[in-house]
Amino acid sequence: MLTADGRYITRTDDNQLHERRLTPAGVQVVRDEIAGTGFFERDQVFPLERLPNANPPGHGLGGLFFRAWRDTRIVEVHTVVDQGPEEVYYQPSAARTRLDRLSKQLIKPETWLPAAAWADAVERPYEPAAFALLLGREPGGYNATPTIDELSATWPFSVGPLALGETMPPTAGPFAETTRCTPLAKDDVPAVKDSIIRAGGSVELQPDGSLVVGFGTKDQQDALVLKLRPFLPDRASCAGEYAL
């Protein structure tokens, strides 16, 4: 992610978030590279198109999702990652090839941007100002310890974990209808972690600072899954969050 003030945030292969600032001229170099593809004049989708009589292996496909500010609004462009040896099953696509290359450039800007483009000499860990707290009910099978009741007893907010937040829209993916989301200020996060620990849960942070903890019921018929995810600078609400 690149913000207008030059903050360039990337996710490493081991899922860590790092930040490094660009100069105004460096920001323009990146903007020119994106605009120079010619694919961001309007919202577009570039799907895989199977060749006649081709029978590609059946499996999931990775996607690429770009969002770029263009004039007065955000333009969204979707495609899929290069299929490697399996590209032989699909129609050649210069657009997909160029967008795949652009994604690799944007993930590792230090490999193509000149040193003069950077205002910061080195990158540093990204420090989020806010987090998304997702609380989702999921069916069956969780161990009864720790329980939802135990979490409720240590919960730091006046609204309990089963009612806090707003229900997510259907576009948020599987379990959206049973998942609630609320934004948390950075200063509220330690209280949530402390609540989890006092309830008997384990706080094991992922490299990017995210957290997932499950709480069961005494009859083990369903569960509450608590997820904590850092917001990137373009987001301060649950709009656009995904339930999984």
Side-chain angles (χ1 to χ4, degrees):
M1 168 177 287
L2 174 61
T3 61
D5 62 1
R7 300 173 65 191
Y8 205 131
I9 297 151
T10 55
R11 188 182 295 272
T12 62
D13 292 339
D14 59 355
N15 207 31
Q16 297 184 55
L17 292 171
H18 291 281
E19 178 180 344
R20 190 178 177 188
R21 285 187 306 112
L22 286 169
T23 64
V27 172
Q28 191 60 50
V29 171
V30 178
R31 289 177 60 88
D32 289 346
E33 188 71 14
I34 294 170
T37 65
F39 300 134
F40 292 87
E41 299 298 325
R42 64 185 187 281
D43 296 341
Q44 296 193 76
V45 177
F46 298 97
L48 284 176
E49 297 181 66
R50 193 168 62 181
L51 288 168
N53 302 316
N55 188 25
H59 54 67
L61 299 172
L64 297 174
F65 178 33
F66 300 87
R67 302 174 76 238
W69 185 261
R70 188 71 176 176
D71 299 325
T72 59
R73 72 179 188 92
I74 291 175
V75 171
E76 298 183 349
V77 175
H78 299 249
T79 187
V80 294
V81 295
D82 182 88
Q83 299 302 296
E86 294 180 13
E87 277 288 334
V88 296
Y89 296 106
Y90 303 101
Q91 296 280 2
S93 171
R96 288 197 296 105
T97 299
R98 180 66 183 92
L99 288 169
D100 187 75
R101 182 163 70 87
L102 178 64
S103 74
K104 292 179 172 64
Q105 287 180 274
L106 296 178
I107 289 170
K108 296 186 180 298
E110 69 282 354
T111 63
W112 61 280
L113 284 173
W118 296 101
D120 291 337
V122 297
E123 65 183 14
R124 60 184 179 276
Y126 171 65
E127 295 289 343
F131 288 74
L133 176 63
L134 296 97
L135 298 157
R137 296 298 293 264
E138 296 183 6
Y142 266 70
N143 191 297
T145 304
T147 66
I148 298 172
D149 289 342
E150 288 169 321
L151 178 65
S152 297
T154 64
W155 196 240
F157 307 116
S158 58
V159 178
L162 297 180
L164 185 66
E166 298 294 330
T167 301
M168 302 189 77
T171 53
F175 299 113
E177 72 280 0
T178 57
T179 300
R180 306 178 73 88
C181 182
T182 190
L184 286 186
K186 181 180 179 181
D187 292 343
D188 289 327
V189 171
V192 173
K193 293 178 181 176
D194 180 66
S195 171
I196 293 168
I197 292 170
R198 290 191 294 121
S202 176
V203 175
E204 297 183 10
L205 297 180
Q206 299 300 310
D208 65 353
S210 62
L211 171 69
V212 180
V213 187
F215 295 87
T217 55
K218 291 180 180 179
D219 59 10
Q220 299 194 34
Q221 294 302 303
D222 65 354
L224 174 72
V225 179
L226 181 154
K227 301 172 187 177
L228 195 63
R229 291 202 287 253
F231 280 135
L232 292 178
D234 68 333
R235 187 172 294 169
S237 74
C238 290
E241 278 295 313
Y242 199 65
L244 288 180

